[in-house]
Amino acid sequence: MLDDFFVRALVAGVGLALVTGPLGCFIVWRRMAYFGDTMAHSALLGVALAFLFDINLILGVFLVAALVSVALLLLQRRGVLSTDALLGILSHSTLALGLVMVAFMTWVRIDLMGFLFGDILAVSRPDILVIYAGGTLILGLLIWMWRPLLAATVSTELAEAEGMRPEVSRVVLMLLMACVIAIAMKIVGILLITALLIIPAATARRFAGTPEQMAVMASFLGAAAVVGGLFGSLRFDTPSGPSIVVAALAFFLLSLLYGGRLKARLTASNGSST
């Protein structure tokens, strides 16, 4: 079954969507979209360093994204600038550094378009193994840390009062995001990772009544966007990664029209059943 490149793309994309859904919910709840964008932009610097030091691409991207997270935390504690200004500096400087390094490495042939926009149709069997193994680990850690992460998202003071150490939860969330970005880079590309994290979660928010429902719905909506985007790409001969994001956008636009009504009906039916 996995001998067909289109089937491999579907399996890989659905596996990634199952992970980005719940993680994207925390990005939406915590209003960390710009932070996710910053980490995604830093991925290109990770790619350049991976080629320079001849290390695994996923490892290189993860290390750079993790370092960017640590740098942001340290700069925030020093209070030198506002968070949005720091994110802007880190985002554009890491992207620019990556592009400059790639330009200097004339002995290496790098497909920038592939890294920027992804190539899910080129996913191999080892890539699928990495996606599902890494995704299982990320989901396992997310489930294990669900309560402290959710408490810190709702109220830092409340989490501290309950002895949950919200700062640790924040670091864990950042590292999980770094893992997802490293895994997703080859599939949807650096510039589209944040969209796959945010759009399904934002769509699920229009329908879900609880955080758990929103996490599950975000995963299913992301998977549906992958399937719809890939078949749309096959039908209309469009780029696969952007087509997936366009499909996710279509679901979001539909949620703006019907999400409120459906959520009200679900709430009313749950109330009447109790």
Side-chain angles (χ1 to χ4, degrees):
M1 183 180 73
L2 294 179
D3 292 334
D4 186 276
F5 73 94
F6 191 77
V7 174
R8 289 198 301 270
L10 282 172
V11 172
V14 169
L16 179 63
L18 295 177
V19 181
T20 56
L23 193 61
C25 291
F26 282 102
I27 295 176
V28 170
W29 291 331
R30 289 176 173 240
R31 300 179 182 179
M32 293 174 64
Y34 199 12
F35 173 74
D37 208 37
T38 299
M39 293 187 72
H41 284 178
S42 71
L44 188 60
L45 178 58
V47 170
L49 291 173
F51 276 108
L52 182 63
F53 295 105
D54 194 22
I55 61 174
N56 182 270
L57 277 177
I58 293 178
L59 178 61
V61 172
F62 170 75
L63 290 175
V64 169
L67 287 173
V68 168
S69 302
V70 172
L72 176 63
L73 288 173
L74 293 176
L75 290 170
Q76 282 179 326
R77 287 182 178 178
R78 293 188 63 182
V80 290
L81 285 171
S82 62
T83 299
D84 61 333
L86 290 173
L87 287 172
I89 293 170
L90 290 171
S91 173
H92 301 301
S93 59
T94 52
L95 181 62
L97 280 170
L99 289 169
V100 169
M101 286 186 66
V102 167
F104 273 111
M105 290 190 292
T106 54
W107 64 91
V108 179
R109 186 174 181 179
I110 300 177
D111 180 15
L112 280 179
M113 292 298 291
F115 285 118
L116 291 175
F117 296 102
D119 188 6
I120 192 172
L121 298 178
V123 169
S124 62
R125 290 186 180 186
D127 292 330
I128 293 175
L129 181 61
V130 169
I131 291 166
Y132 277 85
T136 301
L137 177 63
I138 292 168
L139 283 178
L141 288 171
L142 199 59
I143 292 170
W144 181 51
M145 292 288 295
W146 182 264
R147 188 167 176 268
L149 281 170
L150 195 59
T153 300
V154 173
S155 171
T156 304
E157 292 77 12
L158 181 62
E160 288 178 347
E162 295 185 7
M164 289 186 177
R165 299 170 66 186
E167 197 63 32
V168 174
S169 299
R170 186 181 182 192
V171 172
V172 169
L173 183 62
M174 288 180 172
L175 292 177
L176 291 178
M177 285 179 61
C179 288
V180 168
I181 287 169
I183 294 172
M185 175 189 64
K186 187 174 181 178
I187 295 180
V188 291
I190 293 168
L191 299 181
L192 303 178
I193 292 173
T194 315
L196 193 59
L197 282 164
I198 296 171
I199 299 176
T203 306
R205 194 173 193 175
R206 300 281 301 170
F207 299 99
T210 66
E212 291 76 15
Q213 286 179 4
M214 180 173 164
V216 173
M217 291 182 71
S219 291
F220 281 107
L221 285 166
V226 168
V227 174
L230 282 175
F231 276 100
S233 173
L234 185 66
R235 173 68 177 82
F236 299 106
D237 193 26
T238 54
S240 52
S243 297
I244 292 172
V245 178
V246 169
L249 175 62
F251 286 131
F252 176 72
L253 294 175
L254 287 173
S255 75
L256 294 179
L257 296 174
Y258 303 107
R261 299 176 191 173
L262 183 58
K263 187 174 181 179
R265 290 180 182 177
L266 290 173
T267 304
S269 61
N270 290 335
S272 60
S273 63
T274 54

